[in-house]
Amino acid sequence: MPGRLRAWFRSRAGAWRDHGRAAWLRTRRPASLRTAFAVAFAAGAAAVTVLVGFLSYDAAARLVRVDERSVFSEVVRDLRTQVQEKQFGPADYAASDPDHDGPRDDLTRPTRTDVQILGAGGRIVELGRPALPAGAAERRIATDPQAGRHAEREAELGDDEYHVATVALGGGRGAVQVAQKFSETEDLLSALQQRTILLAAVVIALAGTVGWWLARRITGRLVRLTSVAESVAEHGRLDVPVPVAGRDEVARLGRAFDDMLGRLASAVQDQQRLVQDAGHELRTPLTSLRTNISLLKRFDDLPPDAREELLADLAGEARELSDLVNELVGLAAGQRDDDPLSQVNLAEVAEKAAASARRRTGREITVRTLRPAVAWGRPAALNRAIGNLLENAAKFDAGGTEPIEVRVTGARIEVLDRGPGIAEADLTRVFDRFYRSAAARGLPGSGLGLAIVREIATAHGGHAFAAARPGGGAVLGFTVGRGYAH
């Protein structure tokens, strides 16, 4: 017993856990397709913007820095050429030149270059603006006997950074220092970087807004279609209007959903009508059975002839009730036939159905193929449709001397008999469920055989038909229209 209790508690705990998970899934708010689309659009735009901005800034920064370095290198190269070829001294680079046509001006005129002059021993003869560093390395250059020797370094003067180059005048006469401020360039690049980041942020925000707007336009119909589907699932109503607009995939989905709801509504109506008709038709044999069963209580008091008649009535009513139930099951199955679609030779199907009908009815049945045909269909369903037509003909032409004839003309199959025929008023109703004409009410049957023929014909893209046969009798049949080959 404890083991059974533990097993019971484990099963209940599992059921409660599954119920809780299902309830959480029902209450959890689903992710919005509109939000996902907008986020994806913004993310894509952000990735492209960041990549383009980074590459653009990197390329611009490289070009500016390389250009700045090349300009400074050209200034240093010109200075070295001057001191090597013209052997200028410290006085030649003084700032006191009234004509501003000396070598100093040749250095400062093309670019914003600061100049500072060192004399013999590395002492500062003329300070630059700002004052440039003159350390041990610069003093060595100033005392170097070879003109054009130089040294470069980067120096931080106040809040600014400079490129500094010291070029020897030769013979220990001193050196000339030139400097170029590159912190301004870095400030410019920093401002460019900030503007690039700001522009990227604006583009991302704009992309998110545009993505949300596009997602709203694109998914608006999907949202309305989803609301309709949820309403159908929640309330079970199939007559709700489905929004259909446009010719794109969403519109095709809406039309397909609307068509599906229409088919479902039609199927539900057919089911309700079938139940109502079946209930009505079942009452008659059941009432007769109850009456005869009540007579069985006095079975011993009945004369022999009455006993035999009563038993015959019970057997006939039971058989009729069984046939009616079988027909109802077959009709309810409708198009849900498990027989797969295949290429069917209609003449061969007619031959098989005729052979079966000969064995059941004992009637002579001939098959004539006026034009052979092959069509896509379900062999078992087509066989049943032809069999129902043959049984109907045998029932109404029970005493006939002429054979029942089956004609196959392409996709058209006809069954011809020499029975009493069909009244003009009944031609359009013989395929209705449970409909029985005045001439058929005294004959056995459920009124469903021809209805099944129409269901099978409709399922195969065709239709059922009935007509009077010249010379007496009736012509009943159907056509196959789906995938007709030849």
Side-chain angles (χ1 to χ4, degrees):
M1 182 63 69
R4 292 183 179 178
L5 284 175
R6 284 195 299 270
W8 183 84
F9 278 115
R10 281 198 298 269
S11 65
R12 297 308 300 166
W16 292 331
R17 184 173 59 253
D18 294 340
H19 177 73
R21 185 183 298 113
W24 178 78
L25 288 174
R26 287 194 301 269
T27 56
R28 186 172 66 92
R29 181 170 182 156
S32 171
L33 180 61
R34 184 180 302 171
T35 302
F37 190 92
V39 170
F41 194 86
V48 173
T49 303
V50 169
L51 180 61
V52 172
F54 172 77
L55 293 177
S56 301
Y57 170 79
D58 184 68
R62 285 177 181 273
L63 289 175
V64 170
R65 291 188 179 111
V66 169
D67 183 67
E68 183 184 59
R69 174 62 67 179
S70 64
V71 170
F72 186 69
S73 298
E74 186 176 352
V75 170
V76 174
R77 186 167 55 253
D78 291 343
L79 177 58
R80 292 180 64 194
T81 302
Q82 288 176 356
V83 299
Q84 287 175 346
E85 295 180 355
K86 300 182 180 180
Q87 297 182 352
F88 289 136
D92 295 318
Y93 291 96
S96 58
D97 182 10
D99 297 331
H100 298 288
D101 57 357
R104 180 190 180 107
D105 296 299
D106 293 338
L107 299 176
T108 59
R109 189 177 296 116
T111 61
R112 295 173 299 168
T113 305
D114 296 316
V115 179
Q116 181 171 285
I117 303 173
L118 301 180
R123 62 186 178 84
I124 299 177
V125 176
E126 183 177 315
L127 283 172
R129 294 189 300 270
L132 303 179
E138 286 75 19
R139 286 194 295 272
R140 276 198 309 274
I141 294 295
T143 59
D144 197 299
Q146 183 176 353
R149 286 285 183 87
H150 74 289
E152 294 185 23
R153 68 164 173 164
E154 294 181 358
E156 186 173 346
L157 304 177
D159 296 331
D160 298 323
E161 295 181 355
Y162 286 79
H163 295 295
V164 181
T166 305
V167 180
L169 295 174
R173 293 179 299 156
V176 178
Q177 289 183 292
V178 290
Q180 185 182 43
K181 183 166 61 175
F182 66 87
S183 59
E184 291 182 353
T185 302
E186 295 300 324
D187 292 341
L188 176 62
L189 292 177
S190 178
L192 177 62
Q193 185 182 37
Q194 293 176 359
R195 291 187 179 184
T196 302
I197 294 174
L198 179 61
L199 178 62
V202 171
V203 170
I204 292 172
L206 183 62
T209 304
V210 173
W212 180 266
W213 178 77
L214 285 176
R216 185 174 182 179
R217 286 185 59 87
I218 293 173
T219 63
R221 288 177 293 164
L222 281 177
V223 171
R224 292 192 293 271
L225 191 59
T226 303
S227 300
V228 172
E230 290 175 346
S231 175
V232 171
E234 182 178 357
H235 303 292
R237 294 186 55 188
L238 302 176
D239 57 347
V240 294
V242 178
V244 178
R247 303 180 64 181
D248 54 5
E249 287 78 3
V250 178
R252 289 169 54 193
L253 177 62
R255 282 189 287 269
F257 187 70
D258 188 42
D259 183 62
M260 181 187 69
L261 288 182
R263 290 177 178 270
L264 283 176
S266 177
V268 170
Q269 292 176 358
D270 289 344
Q271 184 183 34
Q272 292 174 347
R273 187 167 59 252
L274 176 63
V275 171
Q276 293 171 357
D277 294 342
H280 175 74
E281 292 296 325
L282 285 172
R283 289 191 186 96
T284 301
L286 288 176
T287 302
S288 180
L289 278 174
R290 282 197 300 268
T291 303
N292 289 329
I293 289 173
S294 65
L295 291 176
L296 288 177
K297 298 178 180 179
R298 300 185 293 110
F299 187 77
D300 294 335
D301 300 333
L302 297 176
D305 293 340
R307 294 179 185 177
E308 292 181 3
E309 184 180 356
L310 176 60
L311 293 176
D313 286 345
L314 285 172
E317 290 162 358
R319 183 168 57 253
E320 183 178 352
L321 185 60
S322 177
D323 293 340
L324 178 58
V325 170
N326 290 333
E327 296 289 352
L328 283 173
V329 171
L331 187 60
Q335 300 178 14
R336 298 189 300 273
D337 199 332
D338 294 333
D339 193 17
L341 283 172
S342 61
Q343 284 194 336
V344 181
N345 189 313
L346 298 180
E348 293 180 359
V349 173
E351 290 284 359
K352 293 180 181 179
S356 299
R358 290 189 194 102
R359 290 192 298 269
R360 289 195 304 269
T361 63
R363 290 293 305 272
E364 181 182 357
I365 301 173
T366 61
V367 179
R368 294 177 59 192
T369 303
L370 303 181
R371 187 169 71 248
V374 175
W376 283 96
R378 293 184 170 88
L382 295 173
N383 190 2
R384 184 178 187 186
I386 299 174
N388 284 0
L389 292 174
L390 290 171
E391 289 184 0
N392 181 79
K395 179 174 64 176
F396 283 93
D397 190 15
T401 57
E402 293 187 22
I404 298 173
E405 184 179 350
V406 180
R407 292 180 185 175
V408 179
T409 309
R412 182 184 180 91
I413 300 174
E414 300 174 331
V415 174
L416 300 87
D417 63 64
R418 287 298 183 185
I422 303 174
E424 186 71 23
D426 296 330
L427 287 176
T428 59
R429 303 188 60 189
V430 292
F431 293 99
D432 293 345
R433 296 174 182 175
F434 302 107
Y435 178 76
R436 306 189 71 183
S437 64
R441 289 171 187 168
L443 298 175
S446 61
L448 291 175
L450 295 183
I452 293 176
V453 173
R454 183 174 64 181
E455 294 286 338
I456 294 174
T458 303
H460 286 76
H463 65 278
F465 57 87
R469 184 180 183 183
V475 180
L476 286 87
F478 63 93
T479 61
V480 177
R482 175 182 295 176
Y484 174 58
H486 61 270

